[in-house]
Amino acid sequence: MAENTDVVVIGGGYAGVMAANRLTLRGDVTVTLVNPRPDFVHRIRLHQVVGGTGDAVVDYREVLGERVRLVVDTVERIDAAGRSVALASGGTVGYDYLVYAVGSGSADPAVPGAAEFAHPIATLEDARRLRPLLDATPATAPVTVVGAGPTGIEAAAELAETGRAVTLVCGGVLGPALHTKGRRSVAARLARLGVAVLDGSGTEVTAVTRDAVRLADGRELPSRVTLWTAGFGVPDLAARSGLRTDALGRLLTDETLTSVDDGRVVAAGDSAAPSGLPLRMGCQSALPLGARAADTVLSRIAGERPAELKQPFSAWCVSLGRRDGIFQLANRSDVAMGFHVDGNLAAKAKETVYKVVLKHLAAEAGKPGSYRLHRVPGDARRRLLRQAGPVGAPVTAERTA
């Protein structure tokens, strides 16, 4: 009789659910998913929760395979030597292999007053805490969004479309990952919505108070509600457990997503730093990283050599309210190209993305192994690895859809 293999997946987001579902491809693998919430959070809709235009909660029964055991709890520590995880409830769960997919959240802002008076929107709890505050604030009261990556842009547009007086403080360039042409398109749409965009030198935020935001150039902006979207961080679980991480706290792995410290620990999603050169944060990388992590575990169980990371990118898709957006094409190295689609067509494309992501997870739940991993030449990544040396350590991150 074949010996059973126990796999624990920490984190029930895009990467964790994909990995858990795919691991059930083998009948002799028992999969336990540990997640602090009883429902799946469709994170790329959180800006709609903030704007009061949509929901981001999905029943796990819609996306999680029947053979995956869901444990609603928080992992406090990984005991790699003992192959177990300690839970906040006081229990432990043993494993033969561990998939580390704890995701990301808001980075702790170093700006004076930001932690006290600004509101992050990186998690469902963040968005839900902010919504009643906005409901109680007059529509004409000034709202400031700090951070001009996709998260900040989407939040600013969503709020402005509902009639809010919004200022978007870039701290530099608007949409830094976008091509210049795409950036102009986004700026024009935000202007039509009435968003005041402050970009360029001097727009770094130096302090946040209860009713204002101060900039490096000396300006003080009145702000009844301030949203903070300037950067993302990851939980410190790996570091607290004695596993090596990059400077942001992502688990350091090799190109098969295996921890550099322990061959039984595999990482996926926003919390993974393969070779110290992590991929873009967001569902576009989380789904394939989750599938790749599962394949690595399955290969090791079968006594085979796991495949190395070969992850292409295709686009950046940013919503600009419910009726507009931008679909910015990117090359396989994730560099924005000169071609983009905007307007209502881009908004429909983003809506399609929302549905396709859940469709991929549900399909993998029903038929493990059905999600297709694109195997593209890895020349560009190999060049980056050679330039970075054995381990790089990026220190900033912007999460995207």
Side-chain angles (χ1 to χ4, degrees):
M1 185 174 179
E3 183 180 352
N4 190 75
T5 301
D6 292 316
V7 183
V8 169
V9 180
I10 307 177
Y14 299 114
V17 170
M18 174 58 76
N21 287 341
R22 199 173 185 89
L23 285 162
T24 63
L25 183 64
R26 288 184 63 115
D28 59 351
V29 172
T30 299
V31 184
T32 300
L33 176 67
V34 183
N35 190 65
R37 305 179 190 89
D39 297 299
F40 178 80
V41 176
H42 201 7
R43 190 170 175 180
I44 55 178
R45 283 196 186 272
L46 283 180
H47 62 284
Q48 289 184 253
V49 177
V50 171
T53 59
D55 195 10
V57 174
V58 177
D59 194 312
Y60 265 122
R61 288 175 294 183
E62 296 182 26
V63 295
L64 196 61
E66 293 181 357
R67 287 186 50 224
V68 178
R69 180 171 75 106
L70 175 65
V71 174
V72 180
D73 211 325
T74 299
V75 174
E76 293 289 339
R77 189 176 183 278
I78 301 166
D79 179 2
R83 293 184 192 169
S84 68
V85 297
L87 304 178
S89 62
T92 61
V93 181
Y95 66 83
D96 294 304
Y97 289 92
L98 177 74
V99 177
Y100 186 82
V102 297
S104 62
S106 297
D108 292 332
V111 174
E116 183 178 1
F117 299 114
H119 303 273
I121 58 172
T123 68
L124 179 64
E125 291 75 17
D126 290 337
R128 283 179 168 173
R129 279 191 293 267
L130 179 59
R131 188 61 244 162
L133 177 61
L134 286 167
D135 287 340
T137 302
T140 55
V143 174
T144 303
V145 178
V146 180
T151 304
I153 291 171
E154 290 190 328
E158 204 75 27
L159 289 170
E161 194 172 64
T162 63
R164 294 279 173 185
V166 180
T167 298
L168 178 62
V169 178
C170 300
V173 177
L174 172 68
L178 299 175
H179 190 274
T180 303
K181 294 179 181 178
R183 194 172 298 130
R184 285 198 295 265
S185 174
V186 170
R189 175 55 181 166
L190 290 174
R192 289 196 294 272
L193 286 171
V195 177
V197 176
L198 304 183
D199 60 356
S201 61
T203 61
E204 300 87 357
V205 175
T206 58
V208 179
T209 67
R210 189 180 302 278
D211 55 10
V213 172
R214 295 173 187 153
L215 305 184
D217 61 11
R219 281 179 288 179
E220 182 167 300
L221 312 175
S223 182
R224 183 74 66 86
V225 180
T226 301
L227 281 63
W228 194 271
T229 71
F232 283 81
V234 299
D236 64 352
L237 175 61
R240 283 191 284 110
S241 302
L243 298 169
R244 277 183 286 176
T245 66
D246 70 358
L248 195 68
R250 292 168 287 211
L251 184 67
L252 280 174
T253 76
D254 63 15
E255 288 295 284
T256 71
L257 301 179
T258 303
S259 167
V260 296
D261 296 313
D262 191 323
R264 298 277 180 157
V265 177
V266 179
D270 291 354
S271 54
S275 303
L277 291 172
L279 304 182
R280 180 211 307 179
M281 288 182 168
C283 68
Q284 189 175 160
S285 55
L287 292 185
L289 284 174
R292 181 73 67 189
D295 286 354
T296 290
V297 172
L298 293 172
S299 293
R300 294 196 186 283
I301 293 172
E304 301 170 353
R305 182 175 180 176
E308 292 191 351
L309 183 65
K310 292 182 179 178
Q311 174 57 40
F313 287 90
S314 58
W316 298 72
C317 196
V318 181
S319 67
L320 296 165
R322 297 296 85 219
R323 298 182 294 275
D324 206 341
I326 181 169
F327 191 83
Q328 166 76 72
L329 290 186
N331 63 24
R332 287 176 172 177
S333 297
D334 204 22
V335 177
M337 301 168 65
F339 181 79
H340 71 270
V341 176
D342 54 18
N344 184 252
L345 184 60
K348 291 180 179 178
K350 184 62 182 281
E351 192 62 33
T352 299
V353 168
Y354 294 141
K355 296 174 182 177
V356 167
V357 168
L358 296 182
K359 183 178 179 181
H360 281 318
L361 294 177
E364 192 69 18
K367 186 179 179 182
S370 61
Y371 180 76
R372 183 181 177 186
L373 278 168
H374 296 284
R375 301 181 181 276
V376 301
D379 294 343
R381 182 164 178 84
R382 282 194 289 270
R383 284 195 296 272
L384 287 173
L385 291 172
R386 285 195 297 268
Q387 293 167 7
V391 174
V395 296
T396 60
E398 167 61 35
R399 196 180 192 285
T400 70

